[in-house]
Amino acid sequence: MILILLLLAATALFFRWINAYRARYQFWKEHNVPHLEPRFPVGNAGDILKSTIHFAHIMDNLYRELKHFGDYAGIYFFRDPVLVVLSPEFAKTVLVKDFNYFLDRGVYSNEKDDPLSANLFFMEGHRWRKLRAKLTPTFTTGKLKAMFHTILAVGEQFDRYLQDYTKQKDEVEVKDLLARFTTDIIGSCAFGIDCNSLENPESKFRQMGKRMINFPKLKALKIFFAMMYRKQARWLRIRFNDEDVSDFFFAVVRDTIRYREENNFERKDFMQLLIELKNKGYMEDDGEYVEELQGGRLEKLTFEEIAAQAFVFFFAGFETSATTMTFALHLLASNQEVQDRGRKCVYEVLERHDGKLSYEALMEMTYIDCIIQETLRIYPPVATIHRITTKPYKLPNGSVLPEGVGVVIPNLAFQRDPEFFPEPMQFRPERFFEDEKDKRHNFCHLPFGEGPRICIGMRFGLLQTRMGIAMLLKNYRFRLCPKSVFPLKTDPINLIYGPAGDVWLGIEKIQ
């Protein structure tokens, strides 16, 4: 009898849960927002369960289906309502005009069990504002110029490696090669460590980089669950980073700080700037920022905050730039006229600078920048931008969204929309000439996001990418080879929107 009663109670609870789940599907109708009809229990997210489609392409498909609704429309990820931004103007509203209502990304983090997740990318609310204010001065022009010689030294080592390589081989797998190159740059600038990934592909930093980006399917499902059910995931102590990955980065940061402080050693890199913020709360040569701060001081960074920021700088810095350069070289190998024009740009600028690749010379290579921006348009490493309402928000139709509603800006879809970029899959760097940019809405190209939460390391990422492309075009010619895949396919599991499998190209040293 007791067993029957328990079974009846469980059945009643189950049907009550189903009814509550289905009732949630009235959300967009109640808020008078145009929407797609959901299917129980996946809502409009059926394709997410497939492991063959990248999330950016799922959103691209939904964008095409929803676009006729206007500025925005509603969908459901399983039971959760999500607002999809459908126009660059409304993207500007979310990212800039009404930013205070969309302060957070709404991504999962678990600082208690995974201290490295307490970084600028994941952090929310007032804590994010304070940390952003502390770190903003680390990416000024002066700081980038001071770090440039460190970046250039790795670039010169990269060139020497390729010179030896091309004496023996005329084909190269660029995806892993460029990831090793950017790993060495970030390792040097973020930790002051010679990772030597170019000579040793199995270096510890390279191994950790792979672990951070390439999730096994089971872990990808765990992270997806955590994004959907953040409170339950924290209760289950789900981590974004594996424990040994965290231990590695904490040990590297601890050893680096100890060595520098005990030996009074200073180096012009990102780690040195973080140490200044730990010891003083500000940086000596940032008067223009310090004057804006109360009493000319900021709160000091803790050791855990330093480790988390160094981690995210490494995580975000090496893979996104390597992915961009990989796509760029594949596009240039497929478009030899563009490659020739890029090389000519490099030669002409270097001629004005006595053949020396300086920070100022790189900034004059405007066509190289156009190549990078066009690559980012077709293949943005971060292909969807996520926000969440942090307080009730009144939509243009008068309805009020409660706190906690997810918002997605499908920037890949914007950047491949023929309305904004005719023949969108054609590689045309000229789209980013100033007169061409003036003809379109400036929020239809969002590879780094926009507004107060724009990628803080954007200028550093563009600097190392520009240097890498310039050095490669100066000394080498790339072409498609028998091993090349065309067109490139996207890895559906990778957090970054990147190519699946190896990317082989022919390479020839220019005499």
Side-chain angles (χ1 to χ4, degrees):
M1 183 66 179
I2 294 175
L3 184 61
I4 293 174
L5 288 174
L6 287 173
L7 183 61
L8 289 173
T11 303
L13 286 172
F14 176 70
F15 280 104
R16 183 178 178 184
W17 174 79
I18 287 179
N19 289 333
Y21 200 110
R22 290 184 182 278
R24 186 71 164 163
Y25 286 162
Q26 300 301 308
F27 182 89
W28 290 124
K29 185 176 181 180
E30 292 170 356
H31 287 80
N32 196 30
V33 171
H35 59 279
L36 295 179
E37 288 300 318
R39 295 175 59 187
F40 179 83
V42 295
N44 306 112
D47 284 342
I48 290 178
L49 298 176
K50 302 175 184 177
S51 60
T52 57
I53 304 175
H54 194 281
F55 181 75
H57 288 296
I58 295 173
M59 291 309 305
D60 185 32
N61 293 335
L62 288 170
Y63 169 81
R64 296 170 193 275
E65 197 172 349
L66 294 165
K67 188 182 174 185
H68 67 280
F69 284 131
D71 286 337
Y72 54 85
I75 60 171
Y76 295 89
F77 284 168
F78 295 87
R79 68 184 290 274
D80 290 338
V82 174
L83 190 73
V84 181
V85 175
L86 300 173
S87 72
E89 187 57 35
F90 196 63
K92 184 176 182 179
T93 298
V94 170
L95 296 174
V96 180
K97 292 179 181 178
D98 292 336
F99 171 75
N100 287 333
Y101 293 89
F102 304 96
L103 188 69
D104 300 334
R105 289 194 168 96
V107 296
Y108 174 73
S109 64
N110 180 3
E111 185 177 350
K112 180 180 178 182
D113 298 300
D114 183 11
L116 291 182
S117 66
N119 60 63
L120 196 64
F121 184 85
F122 293 104
M123 203 168 278
E124 298 181 338
H126 182 60
R127 290 187 67 202
W128 169 79
R129 287 187 185 276
K130 288 169 61 179
L131 187 59
R132 178 85 183 202
K134 293 178 187 179
L135 295 178
T136 292
T138 62
F139 293 100
T140 60
T141 299
K143 297 293 192 303
L144 290 177
K145 283 184 177 180
M147 277 189 252
F148 181 74
H149 76 281
T150 303
I151 302 172
L152 184 62
V154 178
E156 290 170 343
Q157 181 185 357
F158 183 40
D159 184 47
R160 289 192 294 272
Y161 174 86
L162 277 180
Q163 285 186 43
D164 292 338
Y165 182 93
T166 52
K167 291 175 182 177
Q168 306 169 42
K169 300 178 182 179
D170 61 358
E171 294 177 344
V172 61
E173 201 288 294
V174 295
K175 180 180 167 183
D176 183 65
L177 177 69
L178 292 168
R180 285 150 54 196
F181 168 53
T182 54
T183 294
D184 285 355
I185 289 179
I186 300 296
S188 187
C189 289
F191 301 96
I193 291 174
D194 181 9
C195 301
N196 200 28
S197 299
L198 285 168
E199 298 293 342
N200 178 17
E202 297 304 315
S203 71
K204 196 69 174 177
F205 266 91
R206 182 68 190 120
Q207 290 180 33
M208 291 299 163
K210 290 178 180 179
R211 292 271 302 279
M212 288 188 294
I213 296 296
N214 300 310
F215 288 166
K217 289 184 180 180
L218 180 60
K219 183 172 181 180
L221 287 173
K222 283 171 58 180
I223 296 299
F224 176 71
F225 170 82
M227 294 293 184
M228 296 291 296
Y229 302 100
R230 296 196 290 170
K231 290 182 180 178
Q232 293 87 339
R234 290 190 184 105
W235 183 77
L236 292 169
R237 304 184 69 177
I238 291 176
R239 301 170 59 103
F240 186 88
N241 303 291
D242 293 333
E243 195 166 351
D244 60 330
V245 174
S246 293
D247 290 344
F248 170 78
F249 278 98
F250 273 114
V252 169
V253 172
R254 186 178 296 109
D255 292 345
T256 301
I257 293 174
R258 182 188 299 121
Y259 175 81
R260 294 193 185 190
E261 293 185 340
E262 289 179 356
N263 294 277
N264 198 26
F265 175 81
E266 293 189 4
R267 194 169 184 266
K268 295 292 185 181
D269 58 16
F270 185 66
M271 180 58 69
Q272 194 63 43
L273 303 178
L274 292 177
I275 291 173
E276 285 187 35
L277 289 174
K278 178 182 79 75
N279 294 335
K280 303 171 186 174
Y282 68 99
M283 297 170 207
E284 290 290 351
D285 57 344
D286 276 318
E288 60 183 299
Y289 288 94
V290 172
E291 289 174 5
E292 298 174 8
L293 306 172
Q294 184 177 5
R297 295 292 184 273
L298 281 170
E299 293 179 21
K300 298 177 180 179
L301 284 184
T302 65
F303 166 74
E304 288 76 14
E305 286 176 325
I306 286 182
Q309 304 335 303
F311 163 78
V312 79
F313 183 50
F314 179 81
F315 171 73
F318 90 89
E319 181 70 10
T320 53
S321 294
T323 297
T324 300
M325 284 191 276
T326 298
F327 279 127
L329 289 184
H330 191 273
L331 288 165
L332 290 168
S334 312
N335 297 268
Q336 289 292 323
E337 289 184 6
V338 177
Q339 186 177 159
D340 289 339
R341 186 169 181 179
R343 187 172 294 109
K344 182 181 178 183
C345 168
V346 174
Y347 289 166
E348 289 176 346
V349 171
L350 289 179
E351 191 174 350
R352 297 196 296 269
H353 288 265
D354 299 323
K356 295 178 181 178
L357 190 60
S358 63
Y359 179 90
E360 290 74 18
L362 277 180
M363 293 302 105
E364 290 181 25
M365 296 179 186
T366 53
Y367 193 71
I368 298 300
D369 186 59
C370 291
I371 288 172
I372 294 168
Q373 294 300 331
E374 176 70 345
T375 301
L376 289 168
R377 181 190 68 78
I378 302 174
Y379 299 111
V382 179
T384 53
I385 299 170
H386 297 259
R387 294 290 185 268
I388 192 170
T389 53
T390 50
K391 52 186 174 181
Y393 178 72
K394 188 174 182 179
L395 289 168
N397 69 2
S399 294
V400 177
L401 295 182
E403 179 183 339
V405 175
V407 179
V408 176
I409 300 171
N411 52 308
L412 175 81
F414 284 0
Q415 293 168 195
R416 293 186 178 184
D417 188 333
E419 179 182 338
F420 308 129
F421 299 95
E423 298 182 289
M425 296 311 292
Q426 294 294 315
F427 181 57
R428 298 178 189 161
E430 294 78 14
R431 298 182 204 265
F432 289 89
F433 288 175
E434 289 301 322
D435 58 338
E436 288 296 318
K437 289 196 293 184
D438 291 342
K439 296 177 183 177
R440 60 179 178 263
H441 199 292
N442 58 356
F443 275 68
C444 62
H445 182 246
L446 298 167
F448 295 96
E450 257 299 347
R453 201 138 193 175
I454 192 172
C455 173
I456 193 172
M458 175 184 71
R459 295 175 68 200
F460 181 91
L462 288 173
L463 178 63
Q464 68 172 344
T465 302
R466 192 183 290 200
M467 189 200 71
I469 296 294
M471 290 189 75
L472 289 169
L473 289 187
K474 173 179 178 286
N475 296 318
Y476 306 92
R477 177 176 294 279
F478 295 89
R479 52 177 170 74
L480 298 181
C481 68
K483 293 182 181 178
S484 299
V485 176
F486 187 88
L488 287 177
K489 296 180 180 179
T490 308
D491 184 347
I493 301 297
N494 201 319
L495 287 177
I496 300 295
Y497 186 77
D502 294 340
V503 180
W504 284 91
L505 294 175
I507 183 172
E508 173 190 353
K509 179 77 171 71
I510 294 175
Q511 302 301 326

